[in-house]
Amino acid sequence: MSATHTDAIATCWSCGAAADAGHFCPKCGTIQRLPRGTDHFRFLGLPRKLWIEMGELEQKFHQLSWKLHPDHFVRATEEERELSLERSSQLNDAYRVLRDPVARVEYLLAIEGMRKEGATKQQAPPELLEEVFELNEWLDELRGARAAQQDGAETAGLRKRLEDAARGFEERLADVDAQLMAAAKEWDATVDSGDAAAGRVVLARMNEILNRRSYIRNLVRGVTQELSQ
Amino acid sequence: MGRTVGIDLGTTNSLVAFFDAATGQPRCITGPHGSALCPSVVSLDPDGTLVVGEPARRRLLTQPERSIYSVKRLMGRGLDDAREELKLFPFRVDPDSKQVIRVRLGDRVFTPPEISSYILRELKSWAENFFGEPVDRAVITVPAYFNDAQRQATRDAGRLAGLEVLRLVNEPTAAALAYGLHKSQRGLVAVYDLGGGTFDISVLKLISTGEGDIYQVLSTNGDTHLGGDDIDNALLAVSREEISARHRVSLEGHPESVQELRKALVAAKHALSGGESAAVRVLLPGGAAYTREWTRQELEALIAPIVERTMSPVRQALADAHQKPQAMEEVVLVGGATRTPLVRRRVEEYFGRAPHTGLNPDEVVALGAAVQADILEGGASQRGMLLLDVTPLSLGIETMGGVVAQIIPRNSTIPASAQDAFTTGVDNQTGIVVHVLQGERELAQDCRSLARFTLRVPPLPAGMARIEVKFLIDASGILQVEARDQRSGEKHSIEVQPSYGLNDAEIERMLEESIEFAEEDFATRQLIEARNEGESILAATHKALAGEAARALGASQRAGIAEAVEALREAMKGSDYKLIRTRIEDLNRDTGPLAEAMMNQVLHATVEGKKLTEV
């Protein structure tokens, strides 16, 4: 959902009093409608920053769960029940996404319009090209041996090489994650300074890092799957 | 508005419980047979009477082809995905079954939700008799690993039984609620729930907050086709083989003998939870007796593979919760099958601690359901308890090439939602088909199909129409879908045709039938009552005619009474309860003088001993 669809809500649907951005009407206490396109940061009253204190996030999640959960609205009007369902599901979605550092970055890129869902590039990052090429050759060799029913003692060495390669790629993942966290810090700094142009640059870099990350993960998964057969 | 109860609709037994405000504790309601356990068995007598519970269980032996047990195994399942169950269980499936299985009892055909609704109705009547008030709302428990179709089928059963289903609660979570109330343990708790037909494992975090206690499920896993039934089937297979080898007798075509044998083996299995050996003796068709001594060691060797099958879900649940087995501060055992010593040993070995067995494993789920019912009635904050459960299976939609795109991952706290935008691929396309699936596999064909629906769009150039679809899993774990035109913001109505469920029209028809059926039930009850009353008035008349007072009657009065007695006897042979009532009234009128004479006599006898002024 893009930000253009956000329609701010000016008054409480129930009593007509001026509304603030809270979950409940400041005057009558009725659960409020949710403006379309409210993102998870705004929903939780958080700045759009990547460093989130986990203890605080959990506490916020619990506090809001008490207030918004459908358990409280069994006897309420149909509209209130629906609003409880809508708000409590977004609360759960927000908590699920924001507590995971990588999912958090992906989400930020999505709401900033920098990442299309399911449009991750399948091209190998240039610095990995050579190794990936070699890995694919070994995998072909293994598949060939299996097809010829010679996947036993003959392929022990090949399997060992593949395992080592997969482990090497897994170590790369740790590097990639470190790069991502460094970029996340930079992003937060641009939010604080209000430098939107610098922010776009950081977002683009994070997008690239994420693509590399998912490429390596898929690679490792593919090798593990092939080895387990 | 009537009362609200908690119901454990189990594979083998079902229970109903309520929250007793006087004691501040949940409590199970006992049925007419003196037990809180209602066997989940339904039987249809040849005269069309439906029998549920203990009497139906007895009919498994006398009329197996008119009785059904373990119907929970068929809930929300299609013919194709129940093949395994059908090999092991004597379900008589109607050949006309399509997406929803239909089973035969005698000459009538029922869907699994209908059969379950009779069990729910029975429990509802237990509770109504107990309260002396109507019961119209319930919290019903389901295995945590039940998919959307199985949940919907359970909710449908509630509706068919005349109950508003306030919430479906996962069985291990319900158990945790009852456990938490019973013992104020906080921290990480694993619930291992091995029931009659299903296995669940849930990892929970019990947290104290300023507002009260939160029961947060971190992960859940399980197997909806693994339970005590499988142990029974393994025992049965061994015995049938021995019978055919030793006695040259096949039990094929002798369902009564199979049930007899099953019952004896189940009794032996129970005995082996406490004792070291147990004997089985069953008379075979043809008159020979099959006797067999089972030792606990032998039983354990036989069931070890079944117990081992529970461990893979256990490992997955812990991995999903990012926890080690040793981190659990308590392991709670739920379900009758956890009485098996081997299960207890295996659980203790894995978690490195003795499991908590202080709760009655049969009742704890129903008690937890009653607690949740109370929370819903009074509000979580009032009770100071809040349950945050998860969805057991990932939700996805089919994309190009039959690949599933996951939109809500498993173990997401519910309610949970996801949004996706759909567009057209060719010019003037007027419909976009959306296929929703549940499961962990990458290909649609390996996942469970939940629903297919078509989004209607106006004819436009390709890619111009944009429909935003919101998928929402509610607090009962059931999917709701809403679509909206992204530009106009207009809501689309979607007709979701469940892949393996009953549609609204079918439920409506069943509801109508069940109301008619309820009227039939009413007529049957009236008939029984009228006959009973007839019997007692006939007996009283007979006694009175032989007594002193009858001498006062004239010949015509005697003849009148004799005629009325005959007429009542005749009416009682029939099934028209209104006619019986009329004849009872006739007889009452004709015996009026006799009653008067008797009354006078009594009065006379009393007055005689006293002075007139004292009367």
Side-chain angles (χ1 to χ4, degrees):
Chain A
M1 232 187 268
S2 67
T4 51
H5 286 280
T6 310
D7 4 73
I9 287 170
T11 56
C12 167
W13 63 274
S14 180
C15 75
D20 55 15
H23 300 281
F24 298 90
C25 170
K27 188 155 175 252
C28 71
T30 308
I31 187 165
Q32 291 298 288
R33 287 182 182 144
L34 192 58
R36 288 182 60 206
T38 303
D39 68 69
H40 295 339
F41 293 96
R42 188 200 294 231
F43 184 87
L44 292 175
L46 295 169
R48 220 177 246 204
K49 284 159 77 170
L50 290 171
W51 196 86
I52 295 176
E53 215 281 298
M54 291 311 282
E56 271 172 38
L57 182 68
E58 192 185 19
Q59 205 181 358
K60 208 175 259 275
F61 170 64
H62 288 149
Q63 275 168 357
L64 284 175
S65 289
W66 275 109
K67 293 183 184 148
L68 300 174
H69 198 275
D71 275 12
H72 294 282
F73 295 86
V74 171
R75 290 257 175 95
T77 63
E78 199 180 333
E79 166 116 35
E80 287 172 287
R81 284 207 305 269
E82 266 176 32
L83 292 173
S84 146
L85 199 54
E86 198 177 358
R87 283 195 181 261
S88 62
S89 61
Q90 179 154 16
L91 171 65
N92 292 330
D93 300 341
Y95 182 56
R96 182 175 69 245
V97 168
L98 297 186
R99 78 182 155 188
D100 174 349
V102 177
R104 196 186 303 158
V105 177
E106 275 173 0
Y107 181 74
L108 175 73
L109 291 172
I111 59 175
E112 290 287 347
M114 293 293 285
R115 195 177 179 81
K116 295 280 175 287
E117 207 61 45
T120 42
K121 287 182 197 151
Q122 283 308 307
Q123 279 164 312
E127 76 276 15
L128 296 177
L129 261 179
E130 220 168 291
E131 284 169 83
V132 170
F133 186 73
E134 199 176 29
L135 192 75
N136 280 333
E137 275 194 344
W138 294 343
L139 284 175
D140 279 346
E141 221 176 296
L142 184 68
R143 278 188 283 257
R146 190 154 45 234
Q149 311 233 314
Q150 288 172 336
D151 184 15
E154 304 90 336
T155 54
L158 181 62
R159 280 176 170 270
K160 175 85 175 48
R161 259 179 288 156
L162 277 167
E163 275 165 30
D164 288 345
R167 204 168 309 123
F169 279 114
E170 254 174 272
E171 278 160 23
R172 291 277 172 81
L173 267 185
D175 290 345
V176 172
D177 284 349
Q179 287 168 26
L180 192 61
M181 294 310 126
K185 251 183 208 160
E186 282 179 54
W187 162 259
D188 286 0
T190 68
V191 173
D192 287 335
S193 66
D195 187 345
R200 305 308 288 174
V201 175
V202 180
L203 287 174
R205 194 160 76 244
M206 285 198 287
N207 194 36
E208 217 172 278
I209 300 172
L210 275 187
N211 283 346
R212 203 167 343 139
R213 191 178 189 278
S214 73
Y215 183 86
I216 299 175
R217 275 175 59 118
N218 284 339
L219 205 65
V220 172
R221 196 165 52 185
V223 174
T224 318
Q225 256 173 19
E226 204 64 58
L227 284 173
S228 70
Q229 276 181 20
Chain B
M1 204 157 60
R3 310 272 299 226
T4 306
V5 292
I7 293 178
D8 172 4
L9 183 60
T11 309
T12 315
N13 292 300
S14 298
L15 297 92
V16 57
F18 73 108
F19 194 85
D20 191 347
T23 61
Q25 292 292 329
R27 204 174 127 189
C28 287
I29 293 170
T30 303
H33 299 272
S35 168
L37 298 171
C38 174
S40 303
V41 186
V42 174
S43 186
L44 181 71
D45 279 355
D47 69 358
T49 315
L50 269 171
V51 183
V52 180
E54 192 49 45
R57 197 169 69 101
R58 288 198 292 267
R59 282 169 173 75
L60 278 175
L61 300 177
T62 56
Q63 47 179 38
E65 73 292 343
R66 300 187 145 270
S67 311
I68 184 166
Y69 67 98
S70 292
V71 73
K72 190 173 177 181
R73 292 201 172 227
L74 298 182
M75 292 286 273
R77 314 192 87 209
L79 197 51
D80 312 335
D81 57 353
R83 298 234 179 265
E84 280 304 304
E85 317 295 318
L86 299 180
K87 266 187 242 162
L88 295 167
F89 291 85
F91 295 126
R92 298 171 68 244
V93 171
D94 192 63
D96 290 339
S97 300
K98 292 189 187 79
Q99 277 104 338
V100 177
I101 287 183
R102 283 161 212 275
V103 289
R104 300 192 77 89
L105 294 188
D107 52 0
R108 285 186 57 180
V109 176
F110 300 89
T111 62
E114 283 175 290
I115 302 276
S116 296
S117 80
Y118 299 130
I119 299 168
L120 291 173
R121 220 179 261 245
E122 174 73 12
L123 294 171
K124 182 175 178 255
S125 82
W126 287 17
E128 284 174 342
N129 283 338
F130 177 83
F131 295 130
E133 274 177 61
V135 168
D136 55 13
R137 279 160 305 156
V139 166
I140 303 177
T141 60
V142 289
Y145 216 56
F146 251 20
N147 64 31
D148 185 82
Q150 292 168 307
R151 284 168 198 267
Q152 290 210 39
T154 307
R155 197 179 51 179
D156 292 344
R159 237 176 109 187
L160 290 171
L163 290 167
E164 185 193 342
V165 181
L166 293 181
R167 182 71 53 80
L168 298 177
V169 176
N170 294 329
E171 286 159 11
T173 320
L177 273 183
Y179 163 80
L181 201 66
H182 165 84
K183 206 178 164 210
S184 47
Q185 168 88 32
R186 296 294 166 261
L188 292 167
V189 174
V191 180
Y192 179 103
D193 179 359
L194 188 60
T198 55
F199 171 67
D200 282 325
I201 174 81
S202 288
V203 178
L204 289 101
K205 193 171 170 189
L206 275 53
I207 311 142
S208 288
T209 72
E211 286 88 350
D213 297 335
I214 295 183
Y215 291 66
Q216 189 183 350
V217 180
L218 300 180
S219 67
T220 195
N221 210 292
D223 185 334
T224 53
H225 303 100
L226 176 59
D229 273 354
D230 295 286
I231 296 178
D232 303 348
N233 284 334
L235 286 165
L236 199 59
V238 169
S239 283
R240 287 182 74 159
E241 209 162 286
E242 287 175 356
I243 287 169
S244 97
R246 254 193 257 162
H247 301 279
R248 307 260 163 243
V249 172
S250 164
L251 297 187
E252 204 75 43
H254 295 282
E256 304 88 353
S257 299
V258 173
Q259 284 308 325
E260 190 89 41
L261 180 60
R262 175 183 284 273
K263 201 179 158 200
L265 289 167
V266 169
K269 175 184 81 169
H270 289 164
L272 288 170
S273 284
E276 286 302 322
S277 72
V280 171
R281 187 186 146 86
V282 178
L283 279 179
L284 301 173
Y290 164 71
T291 53
R292 170 71 146 93
E293 180 89 7
W294 279 93
T295 65
R296 189 192 285 182
Q297 212 178 358
E298 245 182 311
L299 175 76
E300 290 188 348
L302 183 71
I303 67 175
I306 298 169
V307 177
E308 214 43 48
R309 272 176 62 197
T310 65
M311 296 318 287
S312 154
V314 170
R315 280 187 281 267
Q316 188 62 56
L318 283 163
D320 286 355
H322 307 292
Q323 298 296 337
K324 299 235 172 315
Q326 300 77 21
M328 298 299 115
E329 281 155 78
E330 191 89 89
V331 182
V332 180
L333 294 185
V334 182
T338 60
R339 289 200 175 90
T340 316
L342 179 66
V343 170
R344 297 192 169 188
R345 283 208 310 277
R346 189 69 186 89
V347 170
E348 180 166 351
E349 184 193 354
Y350 182 76
F351 287 98
R353 67 169 57 242
H356 179 82
T357 53
L359 296 166
N360 179 336
D362 294 321
E363 292 187 355
V364 62
V365 169
L367 296 175
V371 173
Q372 180 63 25
D374 187 58
I375 291 173
L376 295 181
E377 286 299 312
S381 48
Q382 195 186 319
R383 270 238 62 78
M385 289 170 97
L386 177 67
L387 189 59
L388 299 177
D389 217 325
V390 300
T391 178
L393 298 157
S394 300
L395 190 79
I397 41 180
E398 184 173 346
T399 60
M400 299 286 270
V403 175
V404 179
Q406 201 185 77
I407 53 174
I408 299 177
R410 68 166 183 263
N411 293 322
S412 291
T413 304
I414 50 175
S417 63
Q419 269 148 33
D420 211 336
F422 294 85
T423 188
T424 48
V426 292
D427 290 348
N428 297 323
Q429 185 180 337
T430 54
I432 305 166
V433 177
V434 180
H435 188 199
V436 192
L437 301 120
Q438 209 170 22
E440 310 310 321
R441 305 282 294 276
E442 275 174 44
L443 294 179
Q445 63 188 48
D446 299 323
C447 286
R448 173 83 188 174
S449 172
L450 288 193
R452 254 177 225 277
F453 54 87
T454 307
L455 299 169
R456 296 275 158 224
V457 288
L460 288 168
M464 287 298 283
R466 272 183 82 80
I467 308 288
E468 209 173 81
V469 181
K470 183 170 182 179
F471 301 87
L472 192 142
I473 299 176
D474 71 12
S476 291
I478 292 177
L479 175 71
Q480 299 178 4
V481 185
E482 193 185 282
R484 195 188 280 272
D485 191 300
Q486 212 171 44
R487 278 168 312 169
S488 65
E490 239 172 84
K491 270 194 190 181
H492 276 242
S493 66
I494 307 173
E495 283 243 349
V496 179
Q497 174 64 47
S499 300
Y500 291 94
L502 301 167
N503 58 38
D504 279 349
E506 284 173 299
I507 290 180
E508 283 307 320
R509 186 181 50 74
M510 284 177 188
L511 267 175
E512 273 167 30
E513 278 174 9
S514 73
I515 290 163
E516 277 167 33
F517 210 67
E519 273 164 17
E520 255 175 60
D521 283 352
F522 179 77
T524 312
R525 228 173 27 238
Q526 291 294 320
L527 178 63
I528 293 167
E529 278 170 20
R531 277 180 183 160
N532 287 345
E533 207 176 310
E535 289 290 347
S536 40
I537 191 173
L538 283 176
T541 307
H542 182 73
K543 203 176 155 199
L545 282 174
E548 195 75 11
R551 280 190 220 149
L553 294 178
S556 69
Q557 284 172 320
R558 277 179 173 277
I561 292 174
E563 209 176 295
V565 163
E566 210 35 57
L568 175 58
R569 284 221 172 99
E570 208 46 48
M572 280 166 61
K573 286 180 193 159
S575 58
D576 183 351
Y577 72 88
K578 285 184 189 147
L579 184 67
I580 299 175
R581 291 247 172 253
T582 312
R583 294 289 175 257
I584 290 174
E585 276 165 36
D586 290 349
L587 180 57
N588 265 334
R589 204 179 45 241
D590 287 333
T591 53
L594 179 60
E596 211 174 294
M598 286 170 79
M599 192 60 89
N600 280 336
Q601 208 180 18
V602 173
L603 208 61
H604 189 66
T606 321
V607 173
E608 242 178 359
K610 293 169 183 169
K611 286 187 186 141
L612 201 62
T613 49
E614 289 174 318
V615 178

